[in-house]
Amino acid sequence: MKRRGMICLSIVLVTLFVGVGISQATSIANVKGWVDWSTFQITVGGTSPNYTDRGSYSQANAGYSDSMTPPNEQWSPRTPTSWGTSEAVKTVGNATGHTWTTESGIYTDAYALADGVANTYGRASSWVYRVGYFTVAFDSELTASVIFNLERFFQYDTAFDGAGGYNYIGISLGKVNPTTGITESVTGDNRNYWYNSNNGDLNGLHNSNETLGFTYSLTGGYTYSIDVAIDSDANCTTRATAPVPEPATMCLLSLGLMGLAGVRRKMRK
């Protein structure tokens, strides 16, 4: 009889632990991108151009919802600064978007967490780019390239959670219209990467790097711009409650405690 009571209690405690563990499970999505500026190479007619009016721009977004609806867009104010540094951070609930530039690189980090409560949704996004202008006196050939680094981390239970993300990376050339003063896009190289938990293989860490580049014949007498940009987005959801409802768990725990009490009374007799 004593053995039965102990077995019953053990089963209940294990059930309670599993139920609580699942109900507290979280799904995580973290998407990053960065450029080591030493990999940025640009030449015009075989030499490096002299930049003017160079700048860095950062902006971040975050949102968190406990009603399974996409969070509201809550972008931080864009922060343009000089070529060296810029930074933007936005945190809402369990989501944080963060972008920044330094003298040596540009970076994005989007982190979102759904906390295991039924019907929660977290999203964060961030983007940053650097731009520099240069004037070309004679017809010349331009070559440009840069290496992007990407890192994605996803952790979720495929039965109850969802996780996903997005990376955009690009290097592009613009030309200033001498009449309007507006910079118009000319050419470039860019990639888009979408990640979706339906693929069934997102759990874990994924790293990669991508080299983007192009060549282009420039016309002398114009001012051009070169841009390097990263956009990162992370999102995750919890769609259901724990498979063992709390009332049932508490009922089992009560039965186990009652059994243990019965065993103790038998032992006293």
Side-chain angles (χ1 to χ4, degrees):
M1 187 67 183
K2 177 181 178 181
R3 182 177 299 175
R4 288 181 183 176
M6 294 304 294
I7 291 175
C8 180
L9 179 60
S10 298
I11 292 174
V12 169
L13 291 176
V14 169
T15 302
L16 177 62
F17 174 79
V18 171
V20 171
I22 294 176
S23 65
Q24 292 179 344
T26 58
S27 56
I28 298 171
N30 191 196
V31 180
K32 300 180 181 181
W34 69 93
V35 169
D36 178 350
W37 209 241
S38 66
T39 68
F40 176 67
Q41 305 292 331
I42 175 173
T43 62
V44 177
T47 61
S48 299
N50 293 319
Y51 288 105
T52 60
D53 191 23
R54 301 182 298 176
S56 301
Y57 299 82
S58 297
Q59 194 168 23
N61 173 53
Y64 175 79
S65 171
D66 60 2
S67 60
M68 201 59 182
T69 58
N72 293 328
E73 298 288 335
Q74 301 190 49
W75 286 94
S76 64
R78 192 174 73 168
T79 58
T81 66
S82 62
W83 181 259
T85 61
S86 67
E87 184 173 16
V89 181
K90 188 69 175 182
T91 297
V92 177
N94 295 328
T96 298
H98 186 198
T99 65
W100 68 102
T101 64
T102 67
E103 292 288 352
S104 60
I106 61 177
Y107 308 87
T108 62
D109 188 352
Y111 175 85
L113 180 150
D115 57 12
V117 176
N119 300 325
T120 58
Y121 189 116
R123 181 188 175 193
S125 50
S126 56
W127 67 266
V128 60
Y129 72 90
R130 224 169 216 182
V131 58
Y133 288 88
F134 55 93
T135 300
V136 178
F138 306 100
D139 292 358
S140 308
E141 183 176 79
L142 173 143
T143 64
S145 65
V146 66
I147 298 176
F148 288 88
N149 298 276
L150 304 178
E151 178 180 300
R152 293 87 66 189
F153 176 76
F154 301 100
Q155 177 180 303
Y156 63 100
D157 184 334
T158 57
F160 302 101
D161 302 325
Y166 164 81
N167 275 122
Y168 164 85
I169 56 177
I171 179 173
S172 61
L173 178 70
K175 180 180 179 181
V176 178
N177 186 313
T179 302
T180 64
I182 297 174
T183 302
E184 301 168 348
S185 178
V186 175
T187 188
D189 190 9
N190 62 76
R191 308 276 172 83
N192 291 275
Y193 299 90
W194 292 93
Y195 316 103
N196 195 307
S197 61
N198 292 334
N199 295 340
D201 60 355
L202 289 186
N203 271 330
L205 186 66
H206 311 273
N207 294 315
S208 66
N209 58 69
E210 295 285 344
T211 300
L212 302 185
F214 61 91
T215 62
Y216 190 77
S217 296
L218 305 179
T219 302
Y222 288 92
T223 297
Y224 293 87
S225 69
I226 192 81
D227 295 2
V228 175
I230 310 175
D231 184 1
S232 297
D233 185 290
N235 62 82
C236 58
T237 61
T238 295
R239 297 186 297 270
T241 56
V244 178
E246 289 303 322
T249 301
M250 297 307 295
C251 180
L252 288 174
L253 177 61
S254 299
L255 290 174
L257 293 175
M258 290 171 61
L260 181 60
V263 169
R264 295 186 65 180
R265 284 198 298 270
K266 289 284 187 180
M267 292 176 62
R268 288 174 181 173
K269 292 180 180 180

